[in-house]
């Protein structure tokens, strides 16, 4: 032990982390790299002529509203340039999420459950646990970069551009590896660390979106996601931006190492607020307890939806800018309903995205049941007169009601922002509220999937997140990849009516309700019949 340093045992812990994540991390890597590779193949098939690609870049690709989502088009003449425009942001966001979840899982979650203390009682240095987590996340991002390079170069695209594309996505993952390890030093709970890192990711997305939409380069450069775009893969690569991503990641990891020395194992630098000596009277029930446990997270989601709604609503009016001086496009839009139809199409697409994100909240809130179970807090509650059914329904009530609430907030914010620009705030707020709420049944279906897994296959609850990712990819890339209708219909979001452009058909919503109810019933029944801490 005398010769032990802070990193002793790191490689052993790396092997342990790789064994625990032997399925999850490879899936992330393949999905992210495959998304970019398949996007390039689809663009090559749909836009084989340079003239077609240029037309796309100078019309739809130049719209401020779309640039807020995808970033600017730096080279519309090449397949690689359009692929970078279409896929860089979504791939970088996925790499950031993967890095955040991996780091938090192997650092703060290990401390919260007490496993880090057990490991630390062996011949393991103080920095070995976070060091192993950082190495695993960094290696995963390196593999993503390599697979992207091979996949794009294998399609005949320039090797330099393919390498820059991979480095931009992997470099963003490195930065958020650093963000996550810093967040793990600040907070006491893994959920809070994840929420903090995801909040940083959300702010980074908004800064980049505002910067690109408003053509304010300073805003775009204030975000790591903006840096990923400005590597300019296939458009005169800027390798020094890749170095900027790497240096930032190293600086964040170094800062986390310094912060770790200033706290005790299991504690965070941000102090936890002490509770009251006696519980409030309104907490005398499982639903009130579930609300108390989840209200902070719900507030954060609601704020995020409000900000996103304002952004989308403010940008919607700019969709008319894509017509510009293009008479052919103006004539086509006139036949389809004018720029109002294009604006409604944009708002529908953005509300669909909010619906997917609300599905993420529904999954997170539902899987709080598993967190409480593994933390041994469920047992004392269920030892009272509270039944498993009541306890499950309490958290499900927060998940279902909370997802509807945040969708309402996002819809109202978008409607007010758009309405103020066109002089119809009340009417647009009502329209957008209804259009947002029809997304709720699809989000509830994801909560039901999470409940089914919790009740029947508790070890596989991560598959609920995999389902969300699969539905998101179908929504974003299904049409681009020209997938069959039966594949697209696997997603509950494919059955949500487009309320801004056509009358509401209640049939699909009722169908989603029946499926949701059946899945919830099966999950609750399964939980009633299995042992606690099973798996």
């Amino acid at each position: 032990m005398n010769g032990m340093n802070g990193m002793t045992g790191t490689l052993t812990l790396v092997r342990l982390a790789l064994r625990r994540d032997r399925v999850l991390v490879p899936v992330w890597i393949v999905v992210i790299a495959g998304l970019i590779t398949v996007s390039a193949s689809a663009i090559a098939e749909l836009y084989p002529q340079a003239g077609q690609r240029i037309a796309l870049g100078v019309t739809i690709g130049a719209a401020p509203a779309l640039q807020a989502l995808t970033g600017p088009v730096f080279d519309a003449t090449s397949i690689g340039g359009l692929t970078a425009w279409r896929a860089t942001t979504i791939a970088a966001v996925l790499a950031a999420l993967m890095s955040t979840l991996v780091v938090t899982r192997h650092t703060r979650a290990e401390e919260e459950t007490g496993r880090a203390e057990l490991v630390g009682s062996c011949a393991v240095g103080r920095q070995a646990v976070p060091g192993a987590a950082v190495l695993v996340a960094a290696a995963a991002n390196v593999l993503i970069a390599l697979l992207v390079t091979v996949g794009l170069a294998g399609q005949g695209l320039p090797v330099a551009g393919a390498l820059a594309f991979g480095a931009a996505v992997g470099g963003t993952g490195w930065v958020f590896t650093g963000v996550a390890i810093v967040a793990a030093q600040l907070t006491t709970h893994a959920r809070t660390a994840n929420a903090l890192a995801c909040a940083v990711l959300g702010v980074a997305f908004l800064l980049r979106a505002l910067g690109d939409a408003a053509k304010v380069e300073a805003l775009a450069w204030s975000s790591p996601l903006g840096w990923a775009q400005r590597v300019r893969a296939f458009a005169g690569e800027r390798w020094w931006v890749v170095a900027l991503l790497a240096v930032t990641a190293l600086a964040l990891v170094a800062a986390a190492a310094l912060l770790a020395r200033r706290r005790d194992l299991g504690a965070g630098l941000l102090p936890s607020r002490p509770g009251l000596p006696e519980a409030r009277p309104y907490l005398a029930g499982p639903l009130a307890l579930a609300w108390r446990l989840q209200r902070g997270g719900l507030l954060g989601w609601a704020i995020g939806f409000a900000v996103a709604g304002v952004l989308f609503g403010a940008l919607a009016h700019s969709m008319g800018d894509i017509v510009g001086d293009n008479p052919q496009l103006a004539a086509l839009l006139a036949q389809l309903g004018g720029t109002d139809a294009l604006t409604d199409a944009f708002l529908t697409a953005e509300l669909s995205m909010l619906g997917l994100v609300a599905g993420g909240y529904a999954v997170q809130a539902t899987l709080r049941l598993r967190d409480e179970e593994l933390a041994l807090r469920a047992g004392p509650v269920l030892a009272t007169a509270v039944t498993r059914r009541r306890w499950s329904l309490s958290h499900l009530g927060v998940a279902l009601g909370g997802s509807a609430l945040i969708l309402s907030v996002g819809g109202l914010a978008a409607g007010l922002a758009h309405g103020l620009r066109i002089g119809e705030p009340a009417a647009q707020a009502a329209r957008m509220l209804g259009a947002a709420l029809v997304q709720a049944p699809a989000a509830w279906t994801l909560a039901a999937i999470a409940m089914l897994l919790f009740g029947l296959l508790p070890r596989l609850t991560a598959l609920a997140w995999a389902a969300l990712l699969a539905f998101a990819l179908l929504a974003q890339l299904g049409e681009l990849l020209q997938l069959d209708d039966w594949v697209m219909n696997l997603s509950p979001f494919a059955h949500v009516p487009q309320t801004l452009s056509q009358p509401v058909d209640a049939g699909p919503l009722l169908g989603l309700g029946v499926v949701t109810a059946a899945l919830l019933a099966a999950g609750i029944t399964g939980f009633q019949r299995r042992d606690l801490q099973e798996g």
Side-chain angles (χ1 to χ4, degrees):
M1 298 288 287
N2 290 335
M4 187 174 69
N5 59 46
M7 298 300 290
T8 298
T10 300
L11 293 181
T12 300
L13 293 178
V14 166
R15 290 194 295 270
L16 175 61
L18 291 175
R19 184 181 183 281
R20 293 178 61 195
D21 288 345
R22 61 187 178 276
V23 175
L24 188 62
V25 170
V27 168
W28 275 105
I29 293 172
V30 171
V31 166
I32 296 171
L35 172 120
I36 296 172
T37 305
V38 172
S39 296
S41 177
I43 288 172
E45 182 177 350
L46 293 174
Y47 306 100
Q49 304 298 324
Q52 295 173 313
R53 297 192 288 270
I54 293 173
L56 177 67
V58 299
T59 56
I60 294 176
L66 289 181
Q67 289 199 1
L69 299 178
T70 60
V73 184
F74 290 112
D75 181 10
T77 64
S78 67
I79 293 171
L82 282 185
T83 303
W85 163 65
R86 186 68 179 82
T88 296
T89 296
I90 185 172
V93 168
L94 290 176
L97 287 174
M98 177 200 71
S99 302
T100 296
L101 295 175
V102 167
V103 170
T104 305
R105 169 178 165 83
H106 295 293
T107 54
R108 176 49 64 185
E110 294 296 282
E111 293 188 41
E112 189 175 356
T113 58
R115 288 190 292 263
E117 186 174 3
L118 291 175
V119 170
S121 65
C122 304
V124 173
R126 175 68 185 270
Q127 303 295 336
V129 171
V134 168
L135 287 175
V136 170
N141 284 293
V142 169
L143 282 176
I144 290 171
L146 291 176
L147 287 178
V148 169
T149 302
V150 172
L152 294 181
Q155 297 185 48
L157 300 180
V159 175
L163 182 60
F165 199 156
V169 175
T172 306
W174 295 337
V175 170
F176 280 91
T177 296
V179 170
I181 197 65
V182 169
Q185 312 311 311
L186 299 177
T187 66
T188 305
H189 303 290
R191 291 173 61 87
T192 311
N194 273 329
L196 184 59
C198 288
V200 173
L201 176 59
V203 171
F205 180 86
L206 289 174
L207 288 173
R208 185 212 57 77
L210 289 171
D212 288 334
K215 303 292 190 280
V216 180
E217 282 292 299
L219 273 178
W221 276 103
S222 66
S223 165
L225 298 177
W227 302 350
Q229 289 282 356
R230 281 150 184 80
V231 170
R232 296 178 65 107
F234 303 105
E237 293 77 14
R238 292 173 171 172
W239 298 104
W240 64 269
V241 181
V242 177
L244 176 62
L245 289 166
V247 169
T248 302
L250 289 174
L252 288 169
V253 171
L258 293 176
L259 293 174
R261 298 176 183 177
R262 302 176 63 86
R263 67 176 182 89
D264 294 330
L265 186 66
L269 288 174
L270 298 178
S272 299
R273 187 177 62 181
L276 296 173
E278 295 183 3
R280 300 286 190 185
Y282 67 83
L283 289 176
L287 179 59
L289 177 60
W291 165 252
R292 175 65 179 81
L293 292 173
Q294 302 215 41
R295 65 182 183 182
L298 179 58
L299 176 61
W301 281 87
I303 293 173
F305 267 60
V307 173
V310 170
L311 173 64
F312 294 148
L315 291 173
H317 191 62
S318 69
M319 286 303 297
D321 295 344
I322 73 169
V323 177
D325 299 323
N326 191 323
Q328 293 84 6
L329 186 57
L332 176 61
L333 285 175
Q335 295 176 4
L336 296 176
T339 56
D340 287 343
L342 188 62
T343 299
D344 284 348
F346 169 76
L347 288 170
T348 298
E350 302 322 307
L351 290 178
S352 298
M353 181 181 296
L354 290 183
L356 280 164
V357 179
Y361 167 79
V363 170
Q364 182 192 63
T366 302
L367 293 184
R368 184 61 184 262
L369 290 163
R370 183 61 173 169
D371 294 341
E372 295 295 296
E373 180 186 7
L374 293 178
L376 305 180
R377 293 188 290 266
V381 174
L382 296 174
T384 65
V386 176
T387 64
R388 293 193 181 195
R389 182 173 175 273
R390 284 186 64 201
W391 183 66
S392 301
L393 288 174
S394 67
H395 284 275
L396 285 172
V398 175
L400 302 182
S403 54
L405 175 63
I406 60 177
L407 281 169
S408 299
V409 170
L412 284 172
L416 287 172
H418 178 53
L420 287 172
R421 292 200 66 178
I422 65 174
E424 301 176 357
Q428 292 300 321
R431 286 183 74 224
M432 297 298 290
L433 174 61
L437 283 176
V438 297
Q439 303 287 333
W444 293 344
T445 303
L446 276 163
I449 292 172
M451 184 65 213
L452 180 71
L453 292 168
F454 169 71
L456 299 179
L457 301 168
R459 293 187 62 185
L460 301 179
T461 50
L463 290 179
W465 293 108
L468 173 63
L469 178 60
F471 298 156
L473 293 178
L474 285 175
Q476 295 297 312
L477 299 175
E479 292 186 5
L480 177 64
L481 301 180
Q482 298 180 314
L483 298 178
D484 294 336
D485 288 342
W486 71 267
V487 178
M488 298 290 291
N489 288 333
L490 292 175
S491 170
F493 296 94
H495 304 281
V496 174
Q498 308 297 316
T499 58
L500 293 179
S501 57
Q502 58 189 5
V504 176
D505 182 3
L509 297 179
L510 291 175
L512 288 175
V514 171
V515 171
T516 298
L519 293 176
L520 289 175
I524 293 172
T525 301
F527 176 54
Q528 289 175 315
R529 295 179 177 178
R530 70 170 175 85
D531 294 332
L532 285 181
Q533 284 82 53
E534 182 177 318

